[in-house]
Amino acid sequence: MSPLWSLALAPLPLTGVSLLKRAWNEPGPERPWRILGGWGLLAAAIAASVPLLGAVRGPAAMLTVASAVALPFVGAGVERRDARKKAARELAPEPSDRRRVVWRGWLRGFLAGPLAGVAALGCGLAVAICAPGQIQSRMVIGGLIVPFLWAGGMAWTLSDNRILRAFAVLAGVSVATLGAAFLKGAL
Amino acid sequence: MDGSTTAASAKRAKAPKAKTGGKPIWPKIPADFVRAMLAGHSALGLAFAALIYLVCFSGSIAVFTYEFNRWEQPAGPVLYDAAPQAADAAFRAVLAKNPKAHDLFIRLPEPASPRLSVHGEDAKGGEHTYLFDASGRLAGEQNLPWSEFQAELHTVLHLPRAWGGFVVGLTGVALLSSLISGVLSHPRVFKDAFAFRWGGSKRLQEADLHNRISIWGLPFHLVVSLTGAFLGLTTIIVGVLALATFKGDTSKAYALFRGPTVADDPRPAARLIDIAGALESLKRQYPHARASYILVQHPGDAGQHASVNLVTEGRLSRGETVVVDGAGKRLGEVGYESGSVGVRVLGAVAPLHFGWFGGWPVKVAYFLLGLGLTTVTSSGVAIWLARRRDKGRPAPRWERVWIAFVWSQPVAYAASALVALVAPAPPVAVWGLVTLAASATTIAWTPAVISARLRLLSATLFAGVALVHIGLHGGRFADPVAWAVNLGFLAAALLIMGSVYLSRPKPTAS
């Protein structure tokens, strides 16, 4: 029965997303209440899943189900346009127009890939070696922050137009964290 | 996520437009910051597009790995429970084939995988998995070439394990990075929450698709990319940790997560480890748990021991692993459910990544959201191509290459499954050749023709897989999941066929 609880609870996020959709469609005095109700129902679904599906498993299952049930509402609101008509010109933000210089491209790739990776590994190592707590916890938390910090470093390096600033920060973080980790050197 | 829906022209802003009204509640993000983020998002997405697409598509399919295992060998024996004595008999039967086996892996029946099997080496070192009936009698050998192919494509891309894991992990990092830059470059995340315009401007259409799926699926996207990157990069992370702390000895780092250790002792044991006794004893000690698998190491040696995995309903965990010695004495737990925070988190990573924690409703949601992420990747490149075209710098060759690659995967998957059903050809070779052949259509056809023809071909092949499977095994289906999987293939064929019909060019009125 347990897996079916996530289906039994699905009407809660379904109604929640439906309220949010109505709030989005129809601005009016009820709009704040619909937004509140929508998010409230999503939160209620997560809360209700805890006793029914487990303290960690329930919220994880409900977030997944809520994400899935929201998509049909997006699809249901599709606005068809005439493909033959030219759309009005849009002032959509364009990506920054950077000068195309080969060495900058390679340097940016080096920063986003290997250097951001080394800096992230350094942070993970520093947590695993220098942080307080049990060895296994430090290792797993240190390991989990590596992909997250690497991804963050990658996003920042590829976006920042000042390439030398990114280089300096990543190199500094790498030296500091790896230095601290290797100086301590034992778990 | 693309920012092309983030600002309408001044002219449009003045027009009475009720749907997107209301004040934005997201803090205003400076335009220069959004533009910089978009540049990074675009560069990263393009650099990793094909890999992210492949990993996301294969991951969506891999959610159903257990179901494919059952579909590929539907005759069973299907068991919903197995007595400890049956597991013990199965273990002894495989050990009799190779008394010098280094270790044996016994998988017990569970709801997602109702089979009793034992995996081990034969006397010549070849690996086999044998299936057993309810009394532990040998019923046949497991043969799952296609299921194994699709699982390995997702986890290691069929590269050597260390390299494949690293490439997939790095792809997870790139995906996570794209999610971060995508969210930061989307200042109207709430204002555009349900906006979905189809037709007209190709770029706007793809941007709406890209942004809506990205935002509503964000919790899932973050979880699978972070856990996937972690799983893929484990080898390198542990390697660096071991280098810093254990002079490069990774086994010492892994030993921290293996629970109680038993010293290697190759002398013959007085008696073989009693699997039935160990299971019965653990049942008394863990009354709410169900044993899912047992790894018996060094069977028959004085240092023989077993790691028994126990699953407790209601927990987001791979299960607790309990180590018992050769006499069946419980030595202790690894701690996946009772240990430190880190070990418990580690125990939750794999089920969270693969969606194996909430039964079939969560699996179906993972499959749909995974396909959503695949669509997001595909539309991201389509936005870039449309933007180039809008700016008068079209890239027709890349438009053909991308559409051919996108639609090559359903064709290649279906073709490899079909061939695996009827011939002993390795599925990875079929998949590779079909991917290449489908990609080669860029030479001859336009993007619209490539898309329509590859979709038609994949729909035909999916229907063919279901029909051939029913023709070959239909009379001997012991496992009802085989029908569900075949229905899934037929539904996929119908949906793809429907998409071709709906996107066909409309005749223009003359």
Side-chain angles (χ1 to χ4, degrees):
Chain A
M1 177 60 195
S2 173
L4 296 179
W5 280 120
S6 48
L7 271 192
L9 289 174
L12 286 175
L14 205 67
T15 317
V17 178
S18 143
L19 276 176
L20 291 173
K21 175 91 165 61
R22 284 188 65 190
W24 185 83
N25 273 342
E26 304 156 25
E30 299 91 10
R31 190 167 184 262
W33 296 108
R34 284 183 181 145
I35 292 175
L36 204 65
W39 286 111
L41 281 173
L42 291 174
I46 291 171
S49 71
V50 171
L52 297 172
L53 283 152
V56 184
R57 195 174 72 139
M62 211 29 61
L63 278 173
T64 306
V65 170
S67 290
V69 300
L71 294 179
F73 278 95
V74 176
V78 66
E79 178 195 329
R80 288 208 159 266
R81 290 174 308 190
D82 189 341
R84 285 166 299 187
K85 278 188 186 166
K86 192 169 170 60
R89 194 175 75 83
E90 303 217 10
L91 295 179
E94 291 287 334
S96 315
D97 218 2
R98 296 170 179 150
R99 275 191 307 136
R100 289 177 188 276
V101 183
V102 174
W103 71 266
R104 286 178 71 89
W106 280 103
L107 183 56
R108 206 181 281 281
F110 171 74
L111 296 185
L115 192 56
V118 169
L121 267 171
C123 293
L125 261 184
V127 168
I129 292 173
C130 305
Q134 284 183 297
I135 294 170
Q136 289 92 337
S137 293
R138 279 147 46 193
M139 284 181 76
V140 172
I141 292 165
L144 264 175
I145 65 172
V146 169
F148 195 77
L149 290 181
W150 193 349
M154 203 179 258
W156 171 50
T157 319
L158 292 173
S159 307
D160 196 345
N161 291 330
R162 294 184 182 176
I163 205 162
L164 288 176
R165 175 171 61 185
F167 178 77
V169 172
L170 289 178
V173 169
S174 302
V175 169
T177 53
L178 288 173
F182 278 91
L183 273 179
K184 190 161 184 198
L187 283 169
Chain B
M1 274 155 270
D2 183 80
S4 53
T5 57
T6 55
S9 68
K11 199 174 173 184
R12 282 185 69 207
K14 284 176 189 168
K17 179 78 177 162
K19 273 190 178 177
T20 52
K23 280 186 179 176
I25 51 177
W26 199 245
K28 192 167 174 57
I29 300 176
D32 282 349
F33 178 82
V34 171
R35 282 159 48 80
M37 275 292 159
L38 273 175
H41 184 67
S42 182
L44 185 63
L46 288 173
F48 279 89
L51 269 175
I52 294 177
Y53 181 85
L54 192 54
V55 170
C56 290
F57 182 84
S58 58
S60 312
I61 308 297
V63 169
F64 292 116
T65 291
Y66 282 126
E67 284 72 19
F68 289 130
N69 287 346
R70 296 163 65 181
W71 169 81
E72 207 163 0
Q73 205 151 358
V78 176
L79 306 175
Y80 293 98
D81 197 10
Q85 289 73 20
D88 195 64
F91 161 68
R92 284 165 194 272
V94 175
L95 195 59
K97 287 177 180 287
N98 179 18
K100 294 186 189 306
H102 182 268
D103 52 54
L104 292 175
F105 186 82
I106 308 163
R107 188 173 274 285
L108 298 158
E110 52 183 329
S113 176
R115 303 282 199 274
L116 172 60
S117 68
V118 181
H119 177 90
E121 292 178 351
D122 61 22
K124 291 176 185 168
E127 294 198 20
H128 302 271
T129 303
Y130 300 99
L131 293 170
F132 295 86
D133 66 12
S135 56
R137 271 197 304 266
L138 183 65
E141 190 171 344
Q142 190 169 272
N143 185 27
L144 310 169
W146 191 77
S147 305
E148 286 164 5
F149 146 75
Q150 61 81 30
E152 284 221 0
L153 187 60
H154 178 65
T155 51
V156 292
L157 298 170
H158 287 277
L159 297 169
R161 190 152 288 279
W163 281 103
F166 175 70
V167 173
V168 173
L170 185 58
T171 307
V173 171
L175 178 56
L176 191 56
S177 183
S178 299
L179 293 173
I180 294 169
S181 56
V183 170
L184 291 175
S185 59
H186 194 205
R188 296 199 355 161
V189 58
F190 290 116
K191 193 157 185 167
D192 286 338
F194 291 95
F196 188 23
R197 291 154 289 189
W198 200 260
S201 159
K202 167 84 171 163
R203 178 176 163 191
L204 195 58
Q205 170 183 305
E206 295 288 344
D208 273 1
L209 184 71
H210 186 81
N211 294 347
R212 294 304 86 74
I213 297 177
S214 301
I215 287 299
W216 284 104
L218 194 58
F220 166 81
H221 300 161
L222 284 172
V223 164
V224 292
S225 55
L226 180 61
T227 52
F230 177 71
L231 288 169
L233 296 176
T234 300
T235 312
I236 195 166
I237 292 170
V238 172
V240 172
L241 269 173
L243 194 69
T245 56
F246 299 114
K247 294 179 180 169
D249 187 350
T250 51
S251 64
K252 285 186 179 166
Y254 283 117
L256 291 169
F257 300 93
R258 291 218 174 104
T261 50
V262 178
D264 198 8
D265 186 347
R267 291 172 297 169
R271 57 192 287 257
L272 186 62
I273 187 169
D274 177 12
I275 295 299
L279 286 175
E280 281 167 350
S281 167
L282 289 175
K283 186 71 200 165
R284 285 191 295 276
Q285 294 171 58
Y286 299 85
H288 303 296
R290 161 177 52 78
S292 64
Y293 64 79
I294 309 157
L295 174 65
V296 188
Q297 291 182 283
H298 311 295
D301 288 359
Q304 64 183 336
H305 60 281
S307 302
V308 185
N309 192 253
L310 299 167
V311 175
T312 306
E313 192 67 29
R315 290 185 178 169
L316 179 64
S317 154
R318 55 181 284 176
E320 184 56 272
T321 298
V322 182
V323 182
V324 293
D325 67 11
K329 185 184 161 206
R330 177 184 168 282
L331 298 177
E333 299 170 344
V334 172
Y336 290 127
E337 291 180 351
S338 59
S340 61
V341 174
V343 185
R344 279 184 278 158
V345 169
L346 189 65
V349 168
L352 205 52
H353 181 74
F354 290 102
W356 297 342
F357 61 87
W360 64 265
V362 170
K363 277 189 186 178
V364 170
Y366 259 61
F367 171 68
L368 296 175
L369 291 167
L371 286 184
L373 192 50
T374 311
T375 308
V376 168
T377 313
S378 157
S379 59
V381 179
I383 291 165
W384 178 76
L385 291 165
R387 187 188 290 141
R388 279 189 65 127
R389 190 169 275 281
D390 287 352
K391 287 182 162 182
R393 293 187 297 114
R397 188 181 301 157
W398 284 114
E399 285 174 11
R400 291 199 300 269
V401 166
W402 183 245
I403 203 77
F405 178 71
V406 163
W407 288 109
S408 71
Q409 287 316 290
V411 178
Y413 263 66
S416 60
L418 189 59
V419 173
L421 284 176
V422 295
V428 65
V430 178
W431 167 81
L433 287 172
V434 174
T435 299
L436 281 176
S439 301
T441 58
T442 53
I443 298 165
W445 299 333
T446 62
V449 173
I450 292 169
S451 168
R453 290 187 181 168
L454 289 183
R455 275 185 287 165
L456 274 177
L457 182 58
S458 59
T460 310
L461 288 169
F462 276 130
V465 170
L467 296 175
V468 168
H469 186 270
I470 292 167
L472 288 171
H473 300 285
R476 303 189 300 279
F477 278 178
D479 196 331
V481 157
W483 288 112
V485 173
N486 281 326
L487 275 176
F489 279 126
L490 288 172
L494 278 173
L495 282 172
I496 295 171
M497 198 75 87
S499 79
V500 178
Y501 176 77
L502 288 173
S503 62
R504 74 196 189 287
K506 309 280 185 299
T508 49
S510 55

